[in-house]
Amino acid sequence: MSVRSEYLLSLAGVDLNGKSEDELRSIYYQYLNSGMHGICFSPYMDEQEPGDQIGEGQIRRRMEIINPHTKWIRSFSCTEGNELIPKIAKENGLKTLVGAWLGKYKSINDKEIEGLIEVAKAGHADIVAVGNEVLYREDLSEDELLDYIYKVKEALPGIPVGYVDAYYEFGNRPRITEACDVILANCYPFWEGCSLEHSYLYMKDMYNRALRAGNGKKVIITETGWPNVGEPFHGAEPSVENALKYFIQTQSWSKEEDIDIFYFSSFDEGWKTTDEGDVGAYWGIWDKNEKLKY
């Protein structure tokens, strides 16, 4: 058979072998400036954390920074000022995936669901997410989560309703998958200890597993990314080079195959070190001071 050089190792994505860091930065900026499908919005400034009230000014400032680089914004909560994020995103011409943050406490959950419904009825939500990794964290049972999902679906006819969790949960939880209009899957090769070398193919496999579980339903990758600083996690190593390469491969795949991806995350947030160790603070495209990294 004849050989076509452009198809050599095509499954492995963009050929970045032998690229210097300066060359990687150049390619990175090309993809960043051409625009992502979506990005996860990081509202918390240094010394802030979930539970703190978020000011409208900081939301508007950060929205203005990221606005030229994305079509969609994903938010995670509808209380404590986070409910302003979708409204401000809409004012900036962006589409919104709006989340309600659910956990162990019914009183907080009820406020989040109420806020989610209010935001969506105001016309500020294109897709809504009822909870984020609550089954992974074992904060709610399937039945409890289903009650919230169906309550939101009843309140918001015509708006796609989903639930966000690790990609494999949708194969393990057919009742949850059935209840969702859209499959919202978090795909992190890093957190499964995958080396950067194999991460692109691994992410594709994660996506395809969620796609099979969805049985024809649309799958959106709601989180994926790579940290640039911190301790290695098994075979996954944080570094500037790896963060650059992972972003490039992810955005290339998103554009070439029309995969909806929300990159994690917009800004570095220090509070994440509590749960994730030192790498938790370094997932942003912009640093904690809102300066573009790299």
Side-chain angles (χ1 to χ4, degrees), residues 16-63:
L16 301 175
N17 289 328
K19 299 290 186 186
S20 69
E21 191 170 300
D22 284 343
E23 289 173 317
L24 291 174
R25 289 172 194 257
S26 177
I27 299 169
Y28 174 92
Y29 283 125
Q30 289 174 28
Y31 279 103
L32 181 63
N33 292 331
S34 68
M36 296 172 277
H37 168 80
I39 193 168
C40 297
F41 190 76
S42 313
Y44 298 105
M45 298 173 62
D46 206 22
E47 300 182 358
Q48 288 181 328
E49 61 184 14
D52 294 338
Q53 187 70 24
I54 303 302
E56 182 175 345
Q58 69 196 71
I59 296 172
R60 289 191 178 279
R61 185 179 65 251
R62 290 191 163 193
M63 195 73 67

mmCIF file of all heavy atoms in Angstrom, residues 16-63:
data_model
loop_
_atom_site.group_PDB
_atom_site.id
_atom_site.type_symbol
_atom_site.label_atom_id
_atom_site.label_comp_id
_atom_site.label_asym_id
_atom_site.label_seq_id
_atom_site.Cartn_x
_atom_site.Cartn_y
_atom_site.Cartn_z
ATOM 1 N N LEU A 16 3.454 17.223 17.935
ATOM 2 C CA LEU A 16 4.187 18.231 18.707
ATOM 3 C C LEU A 16 5.590 17.766 19.068
ATOM 4 O O LEU A 16 6.292 18.442 19.823
ATOM 5 C CB LEU A 16 3.405 18.581 19.973
ATOM 6 C CG LEU A 16 1.991 19.139 19.749
ATOM 7 C CD1 LEU A 16 1.272 19.337 21.076
ATOM 8 C CD2 LEU A 16 2.035 20.441 18.963
ATOM 9 N N ASN A 17 5.982 16.630 18.535
ATOM 10 C CA ASN A 17 7.311 16.100 18.842
ATOM 11 C C ASN A 17 8.397 17.059 18.370
ATOM 12 O O ASN A 17 8.372 17.566 17.245
ATOM 13 C CB ASN A 17 7.511 14.743 18.160
ATOM 14 C CG ASN A 17 6.672 13.660 18.798
ATOM 15 O OD1 ASN A 17 6.414 13.686 19.998
ATOM 16 N ND2 ASN A 17 6.222 12.706 17.995
ATOM 17 N N GLY A 18 9.358 17.316 19.245
ATOM 18 C CA GLY A 18 10.484 18.147 18.897
ATOM 19 C C GLY A 18 10.220 19.637 18.928
ATOM 20 O O GLY A 18 11.112 20.434 18.623
ATOM 21 N N LYS A 19 8.988 20.013 19.299
ATOM 22 C CA LYS A 19 8.673 21.440 19.372
ATOM 23 C C LYS A 19 9.302 22.057 20.621
ATOM 24 O O LYS A 19 9.234 21.485 21.704
ATOM 25 C CB LYS A 19 7.164 21.661 19.424
ATOM 26 C CG LYS A 19 6.391 21.143 18.225
ATOM 27 C CD LYS A 19 6.662 21.951 16.976
ATOM 28 C CE LYS A 19 5.766 21.497 15.831
ATOM 29 N NZ LYS A 19 6.103 22.174 14.558
ATOM 30 N N SER A 20 9.912 23.220 20.456
ATOM 31 C CA SER A 20 10.444 23.942 21.606
ATOM 32 C C SER A 20 9.290 24.545 22.399
ATOM 33 O O SER A 20 8.157 24.632 21.912
ATOM 34 C CB SER A 20 11.389 25.048 21.146
ATOM 35 O OG SER A 20 10.655 26.072 20.483
ATOM 36 N N GLU A 21 9.586 25.003 23.615
ATOM 37 C CA GLU A 21 8.534 25.626 24.420
ATOM 38 C C GLU A 21 8.016 26.886 23.749
ATOM 39 O O GLU A 21 6.811 27.163 23.784
ATOM 40 C CB GLU A 21 9.042 25.936 25.835
ATOM 41 C CG GLU A 21 7.925 26.324 26.790
ATOM 42 C CD GLU A 21 8.390 26.394 28.224
ATOM 43 O OE1 GLU A 21 8.855 25.356 28.747
ATOM 44 O OE2 GLU A 21 8.301 27.484 28.809
ATOM 45 N N ASP A 22 8.891 27.649 23.110
ATOM 46 C CA ASP A 22 8.442 28.846 22.404
ATOM 47 C C ASP A 22 7.513 28.487 21.245
ATOM 48 O O ASP A 22 6.507 29.173 20.999
ATOM 49 C CB ASP A 22 9.637 29.633 21.872
ATOM 50 C CG ASP A 22 10.357 30.415 22.965
ATOM 51 O OD1 ASP A 22 9.757 30.597 24.046
ATOM 52 O OD2 ASP A 22 11.505 30.844 22.735
ATOM 53 N N GLU A 23 7.824 27.401 20.545
ATOM 54 C CA GLU A 23 6.966 26.960 19.440
ATOM 55 C C GLU A 23 5.617 26.487 19.966
ATOM 56 O O GLU A 23 4.564 26.755 19.370
ATOM 57 C CB GLU A 23 7.650 25.854 18.653
ATOM 58 C CG GLU A 23 8.840 26.332 17.827
ATOM 59 C CD GLU A 23 9.602 25.184 17.201
ATOM 60 O OE1 GLU A 23 9.830 24.162 17.880
ATOM 61 O OE2 GLU A 23 9.979 25.321 16.021
ATOM 62 N N LEU A 24 5.647 25.786 21.099
ATOM 63 C CA LEU A 24 4.393 25.340 21.714
ATOM 64 C C LEU A 24 3.533 26.528 22.137
ATOM 65 O O LEU A 24 2.312 26.529 21.950
ATOM 66 C CB LEU A 24 4.678 24.447 22.923
ATOM 67 C CG LEU A 24 5.279 23.079 22.639
ATOM 68 C CD1 LEU A 24 5.649 22.379 23.942
ATOM 69 C CD2 LEU A 24 4.311 22.210 21.835
ATOM 70 N N ARG A 25 4.168 27.539 22.712
ATOM 71 C CA ARG A 25 3.425 28.741 23.115
ATOM 72 C C ARG A 25 2.764 29.399 21.904
ATOM 73 O O ARG A 25 1.623 29.848 21.980
ATOM 74 C CB ARG A 25 4.370 29.747 23.785
ATOM 75 C CG ARG A 25 4.864 29.347 25.158
ATOM 76 C CD ARG A 25 5.943 30.319 25.620
ATOM 77 N NE ARG A 25 6.677 29.812 26.770
ATOM 78 C CZ ARG A 25 6.493 30.219 28.020
ATOM 79 N NH1 ARG A 25 5.581 31.135 28.288
ATOM 80 N NH2 ARG A 25 7.201 29.717 29.012
ATOM 81 N N SER A 26 3.461 29.452 20.799
ATOM 82 C CA SER A 26 2.919 30.058 19.597
ATOM 83 C C SER A 26 1.681 29.309 19.111
ATOM 84 O O SER A 26 0.664 29.924 18.760
ATOM 85 C CB SER A 26 3.985 30.087 18.506
ATOM 86 O OG SER A 26 3.465 30.611 17.304
ATOM 87 N N ILE A 27 1.768 27.977 19.090
ATOM 88 C CA ILE A 27 0.622 27.165 18.663
ATOM 89 C C ILE A 27 -0.525 27.312 19.666
ATOM 90 O O ILE A 27 -1.697 27.437 19.293
ATOM 91 C CB ILE A 27 1.028 25.691 18.522
ATOM 92 C CG1 ILE A 27 2.126 25.543 17.472
ATOM 93 C CG2 ILE A 27 -0.178 24.829 18.155
ATOM 94 C CD1 ILE A 27 2.782 24.162 17.453
ATOM 95 N N TYR A 28 -0.183 27.307 20.944
ATOM 96 C CA TYR A 28 -1.160 27.483 22.019
ATOM 97 C C TYR A 28 -1.957 28.763 21.816
ATOM 98 O O TYR A 28 -3.195 28.776 21.868
ATOM 99 C CB TYR A 28 -0.415 27.497 23.348
ATOM 100 C CG TYR A 28 -1.240 27.812 24.584
ATOM 101 C CD1 TYR A 28 -1.820 26.789 25.317
ATOM 102 C CD2 TYR A 28 -1.393 29.114 25.027
ATOM 103 C CE1 TYR A 28 -2.548 27.067 26.462
ATOM 104 C CE2 TYR A 28 -2.127 29.410 26.170
ATOM 105 C CZ TYR A 28 -2.697 28.381 26.885
ATOM 106 O OH TYR A 28 -3.424 28.651 28.013
ATOM 107 N N TYR A 29 -1.270 29.859 21.579
ATOM 108 C CA TYR A 29 -1.941 31.146 21.405
ATOM 109 C C TYR A 29 -2.812 31.169 20.159
ATOM 110 O O TYR A 29 -3.851 31.824 20.130
ATOM 111 C CB TYR A 29 -0.925 32.284 21.374
ATOM 112 C CG TYR A 29 -0.401 32.659 22.731
ATOM 113 C CD1 TYR A 29 0.964 32.666 22.994
ATOM 114 C CD2 TYR A 29 -1.276 32.987 23.765
ATOM 115 C CE1 TYR A 29 1.450 33.000 24.254
ATOM 116 C CE2 TYR A 29 -0.806 33.318 25.023
ATOM 117 C CZ TYR A 29 0.558 33.327 25.263
ATOM 118 O OH TYR A 29 1.024 33.653 26.502
ATOM 119 N N GLN A 30 -2.392 30.447 19.109
ATOM 120 C CA GLN A 30 -3.226 30.374 17.913
ATOM 121 C C GLN A 30 -4.576 29.760 18.239
ATOM 122 O O GLN A 30 -5.630 30.268 17.809
ATOM 123 C CB GLN A 30 -2.519 29.554 16.829
ATOM 124 C CG GLN A 30 -1.319 30.233 16.199
ATOM 125 C CD GLN A 30 -0.587 29.327 15.238
ATOM 126 O OE1 GLN A 30 -1.178 28.422 14.642
ATOM 127 N NE2 GLN A 30 0.704 29.537 15.079
ATOM 128 N N TYR A 31 -4.563 28.674 19.008
ATOM 129 C CA TYR A 31 -5.816 28.023 19.384
ATOM 130 C C TYR A 31 -6.613 28.875 20.369
ATOM 131 O O TYR A 31 -7.837 28.989 20.265
ATOM 132 C CB TYR A 31 -5.556 26.634 19.974
ATOM 133 C CG TYR A 31 -5.328 25.581 18.928
ATOM 134 C CD1 TYR A 31 -4.048 25.108 18.647
ATOM 135 C CD2 TYR A 31 -6.390 25.060 18.200
ATOM 136 C CE1 TYR A 31 -3.833 24.146 17.665
ATOM 137 C CE2 TYR A 31 -6.192 24.093 17.221
ATOM 138 C CZ TYR A 31 -4.913 23.645 16.965
ATOM 139 O OH TYR A 31 -4.727 22.703 15.991
ATOM 140 N N LEU A 32 -5.925 29.486 21.333
ATOM 141 C CA LEU A 32 -6.618 30.319 22.311
ATOM 142 C C LEU A 32 -7.300 31.503 21.624
ATOM 143 O O LEU A 32 -8.460 31.829 21.914
ATOM 144 C CB LEU A 32 -5.635 30.817 23.373
ATOM 145 C CG LEU A 32 -6.226 31.683 24.491
ATOM 146 C CD1 LEU A 32 -7.245 30.900 25.318
ATOM 147 C CD2 LEU A 32 -5.112 32.220 25.397
ATOM 148 N N ASN A 33 -6.602 32.137 20.711
ATOM 149 C CA ASN A 33 -7.138 33.329 20.057
ATOM 150 C C ASN A 33 -8.193 33.013 19.006
ATOM 151 O O ASN A 33 -9.000 33.875 18.658
ATOM 152 C CB ASN A 33 -6.006 34.142 19.434
ATOM 153 C CG ASN A 33 -5.105 34.773 20.483
ATOM 154 O OD1 ASN A 33 -5.540 35.081 21.581
ATOM 155 N ND2 ASN A 33 -3.831 34.942 20.150
ATOM 156 N N SER A 34 -8.191 31.778 18.510
ATOM 157 C CA SER A 34 -9.227 31.397 17.547
ATOM 158 C C SER A 34 -10.538 31.059 18.239
ATOM 159 O O SER A 34 -11.579 30.958 17.587
ATOM 160 C CB SER A 34 -8.758 30.210 16.697
ATOM 161 O OG SER A 34 -8.650 29.034 17.476
ATOM 162 N N GLY A 35 -10.506 30.887 19.568
ATOM 163 C CA GLY A 35 -11.732 30.709 20.334
ATOM 164 C C GLY A 35 -12.027 29.265 20.690
ATOM 165 O O GLY A 35 -12.020 28.381 19.835
ATOM 166 N N MET A 36 -12.302 29.038 21.965
ATOM 167 C CA MET A 36 -12.715 27.724 22.456
ATOM 168 C C MET A 36 -14.231 27.575 22.351
ATOM 169 O O MET A 36 -14.951 28.567 22.299
ATOM 170 C CB MET A 36 -12.319 27.561 23.924
ATOM 171 C CG MET A 36 -10.842 27.572 24.192
ATOM 172 S SD MET A 36 -10.493 27.599 25.986
ATOM 173 C CE MET A 36 -10.643 29.365 26.297
ATOM 174 N N HIS A 37 -14.693 26.327 22.380
ATOM 175 C CA HIS A 37 -16.141 26.127 22.516
ATOM 176 C C HIS A 37 -16.609 26.687 23.853
ATOM 177 O O HIS A 37 -17.560 27.471 23.904
ATOM 178 C CB HIS A 37 -16.513 24.646 22.433
ATOM 179 C CG HIS A 37 -17.929 24.388 22.860
ATOM 180 N ND1 HIS A 37 -19.003 24.615 22.027
ATOM 181 C CD2 HIS A 37 -18.455 23.968 24.046
ATOM 182 C CE1 HIS A 37 -20.113 24.338 22.683
ATOM 183 N NE2 HIS A 37 -19.821 23.946 23.894
ATOM 184 N N GLY A 38 -15.956 26.272 24.932
ATOM 185 C CA GLY A 38 -16.407 26.704 26.249
ATOM 186 C C GLY A 38 -15.300 26.673 27.275
ATOM 187 O O GLY A 38 -14.256 26.039 27.080
ATOM 188 N N ILE A 39 -15.547 27.355 28.388
ATOM 189 C CA ILE A 39 -14.584 27.385 29.480
ATOM 190 C C ILE A 39 -15.338 27.416 30.796
ATOM 191 O O ILE A 39 -16.431 27.979 30.899
ATOM 192 C CB ILE A 39 -13.641 28.605 29.356
ATOM 193 C CG1 ILE A 39 -12.451 28.477 30.299
ATOM 194 C CG2 ILE A 39 -14.381 29.914 29.558
ATOM 195 C CD1 ILE A 39 -11.350 29.480 30.025
ATOM 196 N N CYS A 40 -14.773 26.769 31.806
ATOM 197 C CA CYS A 40 -15.346 26.799 33.150
ATOM 198 C C CYS A 40 -14.968 28.115 33.817
ATOM 199 O O CYS A 40 -13.791 28.483 33.852
ATOM 200 C CB CYS A 40 -14.824 25.620 33.967
ATOM 201 S SG CYS A 40 -15.306 24.010 33.305
ATOM 202 N N PHE A 41 -15.964 28.814 34.338
ATOM 203 C CA PHE A 41 -15.734 30.126 34.920
ATOM 204 C C PHE A 41 -15.283 29.994 36.368
ATOM 205 O O PHE A 41 -15.950 29.354 37.183
ATOM 206 C CB PHE A 41 -17.010 30.971 34.855
ATOM 207 C CG PHE A 41 -16.788 32.409 35.228
ATOM 208 C CD1 PHE A 41 -16.174 33.277 34.346
ATOM 209 C CD2 PHE A 41 -17.172 32.890 36.466
ATOM 210 C CE1 PHE A 41 -15.964 34.607 34.675
ATOM 211 C CE2 PHE A 41 -16.972 34.213 36.814
ATOM 212 C CZ PHE A 41 -16.365 35.081 35.918
ATOM 213 N N SER A 42 -14.140 30.598 36.673
ATOM 214 C CA SER A 42 -13.567 30.569 38.025
ATOM 215 C C SER A 42 -13.829 31.922 38.681
ATOM 216 O O SER A 42 -13.163 32.904 38.366
ATOM 217 C CB SER A 42 -12.059 30.311 37.963
ATOM 218 O OG SER A 42 -11.752 29.241 37.096
ATOM 219 N N PRO A 43 -14.776 32.013 39.608
ATOM 220 C CA PRO A 43 -15.121 33.330 40.162
ATOM 221 C C PRO A 43 -14.287 33.766 41.358
ATOM 222 O O PRO A 43 -14.246 34.948 41.687
ATOM 223 C CB PRO A 43 -16.575 33.146 40.592
ATOM 224 C CG PRO A 43 -16.669 31.706 40.976
ATOM 225 C CD PRO A 43 -15.724 30.981 40.040
ATOM 226 N N TYR A 44 -13.596 32.804 42.024
ATOM 227 C CA TYR A 44 -13.007 33.106 43.330
ATOM 228 C C TYR A 44 -11.620 33.720 43.210
ATOM 229 O O TYR A 44 -10.707 33.125 42.643
ATOM 230 C CB TYR A 44 -12.944 31.844 44.196
ATOM 231 C CG TYR A 44 -14.318 31.294 44.480
ATOM 232 C CD1 TYR A 44 -14.778 30.156 43.822
ATOM 233 C CD2 TYR A 44 -15.158 31.922 45.390
ATOM 234 C CE1 TYR A 44 -16.045 29.659 44.056
ATOM 235 C CE2 TYR A 44 -16.431 31.432 45.630
ATOM 236 C CZ TYR A 44 -16.872 30.313 44.962
ATOM 237 O OH TYR A 44 -18.130 29.832 45.199
ATOM 238 N N MET A 45 -11.473 34.906 43.773
ATOM 239 C CA MET A 45 -10.182 35.580 43.827
ATOM 240 C C MET A 45 -9.340 34.994 44.949
ATOM 241 O O MET A 45 -9.809 34.178 45.743
ATOM 242 C CB MET A 45 -10.393 37.077 44.032
ATOM 243 C CG MET A 45 -11.168 37.745 42.898
ATOM 244 S SD MET A 45 -11.590 39.460 43.256
ATOM 245 C CE MET A 45 -9.945 40.165 43.425
ATOM 246 N N ASP A 46 -8.074 35.405 45.001
ATOM 247 C CA ASP A 46 -7.178 34.919 46.042
ATOM 248 C C ASP A 46 -7.773 35.189 47.421
ATOM 249 O O ASP A 46 -8.310 36.272 47.673
ATOM 250 C CB ASP A 46 -5.814 35.592 45.918
ATOM 251 C CG ASP A 46 -4.696 34.752 46.500
ATOM 252 O OD1 ASP A 46 -4.888 33.524 46.614
ATOM 253 O OD2 ASP A 46 -3.634 35.303 46.816
ATOM 254 N N GLU A 47 -7.704 34.184 48.288
ATOM 255 C CA GLU A 47 -8.231 34.228 49.652
ATOM 256 C C GLU A 47 -9.755 34.125 49.707
ATOM 257 O O GLU A 47 -10.355 34.266 50.770
ATOM 258 C CB GLU A 47 -7.748 35.468 50.417
ATOM 259 C CG GLU A 47 -6.225 35.536 50.553
ATOM 260 C CD GLU A 47 -5.748 36.728 51.358
ATOM 261 O OE1 GLU A 47 -6.598 37.535 51.790
ATOM 262 O OE2 GLU A 47 -4.525 36.843 51.548
ATOM 263 N N GLN A 48 -10.412 33.874 48.563
ATOM 264 C CA GLN A 48 -11.837 33.555 48.555
ATOM 265 C C GLN A 48 -12.009 32.066 48.336
ATOM 266 O O GLN A 48 -11.116 31.381 47.813
ATOM 267 C CB GLN A 48 -12.566 34.311 47.439
ATOM 268 C CG GLN A 48 -12.725 35.795 47.671
ATOM 269 C CD GLN A 48 -13.481 36.462 46.541
ATOM 270 O OE1 GLN A 48 -13.412 36.061 45.388
ATOM 271 N NE2 GLN A 48 -14.223 37.522 46.876
ATOM 272 N N GLU A 49 -13.188 31.566 48.719
ATOM 273 C CA GLU A 49 -13.494 30.147 48.545
ATOM 274 C C GLU A 49 -15.010 29.977 48.539
ATOM 275 O O GLU A 49 -15.745 30.905 48.905
ATOM 276 C CB GLU A 49 -12.873 29.314 49.661
ATOM 277 C CG GLU A 49 -13.364 29.677 51.034
ATOM 278 C CD GLU A 49 -12.672 28.901 52.131
ATOM 279 O OE1 GLU A 49 -11.626 28.263 51.857
ATOM 280 O OE2 GLU A 49 -13.169 28.921 53.268
ATOM 281 N N PRO A 50 -15.505 28.798 48.107
ATOM 282 C CA PRO A 50 -16.947 28.565 48.156
ATOM 283 C C PRO A 50 -17.491 28.823 49.562
ATOM 284 O O PRO A 50 -16.899 28.420 50.557
ATOM 285 C CB PRO A 50 -17.062 27.091 47.779
ATOM 286 C CG PRO A 50 -15.885 26.846 46.889
ATOM 287 C CD PRO A 50 -14.778 27.677 47.483
ATOM 288 N N GLY A 51 -18.604 29.510 49.615
ATOM 289 C CA GLY A 51 -19.166 29.965 50.882
ATOM 290 C C GLY A 51 -19.047 31.471 51.034
ATOM 291 O O GLY A 51 -19.829 32.093 51.759
ATOM 292 N N ASP A 52 -18.064 32.065 50.333
ATOM 293 C CA ASP A 52 -17.912 33.518 50.331
ATOM 294 C C ASP A 52 -18.854 34.131 49.296
ATOM 295 O O ASP A 52 -19.152 33.527 48.264
ATOM 296 C CB ASP A 52 -16.474 33.915 49.984
ATOM 297 C CG ASP A 52 -15.478 33.492 51.055
ATOM 298 O OD1 ASP A 52 -15.909 33.280 52.201
ATOM 299 O OD2 ASP A 52 -14.287 33.359 50.730
ATOM 300 N N GLN A 53 -19.302 35.338 49.581
ATOM 301 C CA GLN A 53 -20.137 36.064 48.636
ATOM 302 C C GLN A 53 -19.278 36.595 47.500
ATOM 303 O O GLN A 53 -18.232 37.209 47.732
ATOM 304 C CB GLN A 53 -20.855 37.220 49.333
ATOM 305 C CG GLN A 53 -21.883 37.926 48.479
ATOM 306 C CD GLN A 53 -23.122 37.099 48.196
ATOM 307 O OE1 GLN A 53 -23.448 36.185 48.962
ATOM 308 N NE2 GLN A 53 -23.819 37.405 47.107
ATOM 309 N N ILE A 54 -19.726 36.371 46.266
ATOM 310 C CA ILE A 54 -18.998 36.800 45.080
ATOM 311 C C ILE A 54 -19.547 38.148 44.618
ATOM 312 O O ILE A 54 -20.757 38.312 44.461
ATOM 313 C CB ILE A 54 -19.137 35.766 43.941
ATOM 314 C CG1 ILE A 54 -18.650 34.398 44.408
ATOM 315 C CG2 ILE A 54 -18.363 36.215 42.712
ATOM 316 C CD1 ILE A 54 -17.236 34.364 44.878
ATOM 317 N N GLY A 55 -18.658 39.103 44.382
ATOM 318 C CA GLY A 55 -19.077 40.434 43.967
ATOM 319 C C GLY A 55 -19.309 40.538 42.474
ATOM 320 O O GLY A 55 -18.622 39.906 41.674
ATOM 321 N N GLU A 56 -20.272 41.361 42.096
ATOM 322 C CA GLU A 56 -20.581 41.553 40.684
ATOM 323 C C GLU A 56 -19.387 42.131 39.923
ATOM 324 O O GLU A 56 -19.145 41.775 38.764
ATOM 325 C CB GLU A 56 -21.790 42.476 40.540
ATOM 326 C CG GLU A 56 -22.206 42.698 39.103
ATOM 327 C CD GLU A 56 -23.482 43.513 38.973
ATOM 328 O OE1 GLU A 56 -24.194 43.663 39.991
ATOM 329 O OE2 GLU A 56 -23.760 43.984 37.854
ATOM 330 N N GLY A 57 -18.618 43.017 40.590
ATOM 331 C CA GLY A 57 -17.487 43.645 39.922
ATOM 332 C C GLY A 57 -16.446 42.651 39.467
ATOM 333 O O GLY A 57 -15.921 42.747 38.347
ATOM 334 N N GLN A 58 -16.116 41.682 40.322
ATOM 335 C CA GLN A 58 -15.092 40.713 39.940
ATOM 336 C C GLN A 58 -15.596 39.785 38.839
ATOM 337 O O GLN A 58 -14.819 39.348 37.982
ATOM 338 C CB GLN A 58 -14.616 39.915 41.157
ATOM 339 C CG GLN A 58 -15.622 38.951 41.768
ATOM 340 C CD GLN A 58 -15.211 38.519 43.165
ATOM 341 O OE1 GLN A 58 -15.255 39.298 44.110
ATOM 342 N NE2 GLN A 58 -14.818 37.261 43.306
ATOM 343 N N ILE A 59 -16.892 39.484 38.851
ATOM 344 C CA ILE A 59 -17.450 38.671 37.770
ATOM 345 C C ILE A 59 -17.343 39.405 36.446
ATOM 346 O O ILE A 59 -16.912 38.838 35.435
ATOM 347 C CB ILE A 59 -18.918 38.304 38.065
ATOM 348 C CG1 ILE A 59 -19.025 37.421 39.312
ATOM 349 C CG2 ILE A 59 -19.540 37.588 36.863
ATOM 350 C CD1 ILE A 59 -20.449 37.181 39.776
ATOM 351 N N ARG A 60 -17.737 40.670 36.431
ATOM 352 C CA ARG A 60 -17.690 41.449 35.191
ATOM 353 C C ARG A 60 -16.257 41.598 34.679
ATOM 354 O O ARG A 60 -16.014 41.495 33.467
ATOM 355 C CB ARG A 60 -18.320 42.825 35.422
ATOM 356 C CG ARG A 60 -19.831 42.774 35.602
ATOM 357 C CD ARG A 60 -20.467 44.143 35.562
ATOM 358 N NE ARG A 60 -21.910 44.036 35.690
ATOM 359 C CZ ARG A 60 -22.740 43.738 34.701
ATOM 360 N NH1 ARG A 60 -22.254 43.549 33.472
ATOM 361 N NH2 ARG A 60 -24.040 43.663 34.893
ATOM 362 N N ARG A 61 -15.316 41.814 35.576
ATOM 363 C CA ARG A 61 -13.925 41.984 35.164
ATOM 364 C C ARG A 61 -13.387 40.697 34.547
ATOM 365 O O ARG A 61 -12.756 40.723 33.478
ATOM 366 C CB ARG A 61 -13.083 42.392 36.369
ATOM 367 C CG ARG A 61 -11.633 42.712 36.013
ATOM 368 C CD ARG A 61 -10.841 43.140 37.225
ATOM 369 N NE ARG A 61 -10.711 42.073 38.211
ATOM 370 C CZ ARG A 61 -11.339 42.057 39.388
ATOM 371 N NH1 ARG A 61 -12.147 43.038 39.740
ATOM 372 N NH2 ARG A 61 -11.163 41.042 40.230
ATOM 373 N N ARG A 62 -13.656 39.574 35.184
ATOM 374 C CA ARG A 62 -13.148 38.297 34.673
ATOM 375 C C ARG A 62 -13.871 37.882 33.387
ATOM 376 O O ARG A 62 -13.257 37.292 32.502
ATOM 377 C CB ARG A 62 -13.259 37.227 35.751
ATOM 378 C CG ARG A 62 -12.283 37.461 36.898
ATOM 379 C CD ARG A 62 -12.158 36.306 37.849
ATOM 380 N NE ARG A 62 -10.931 36.458 38.639
ATOM 381 C CZ ARG A 62 -10.409 35.507 39.387
ATOM 382 N NH1 ARG A 62 -10.996 34.322 39.487
ATOM 383 N NH2 ARG A 62 -9.285 35.717 40.045
ATOM 384 N N MET A 63 -15.148 38.206 33.314
ATOM 385 C CA MET A 63 -15.893 37.887 32.098
ATOM 386 C C MET A 63 -15.326 38.650 30.913
ATOM 387 O O MET A 63 -15.217 38.130 29.798
ATOM 388 C CB MET A 63 -17.370 38.219 32.286
ATOM 389 C CG MET A 63 -18.288 37.602 31.249
ATOM 390 S SD MET A 63 -18.504 35.810 31.461
ATOM 391 C CE MET A 63 -19.398 35.753 33.012
#
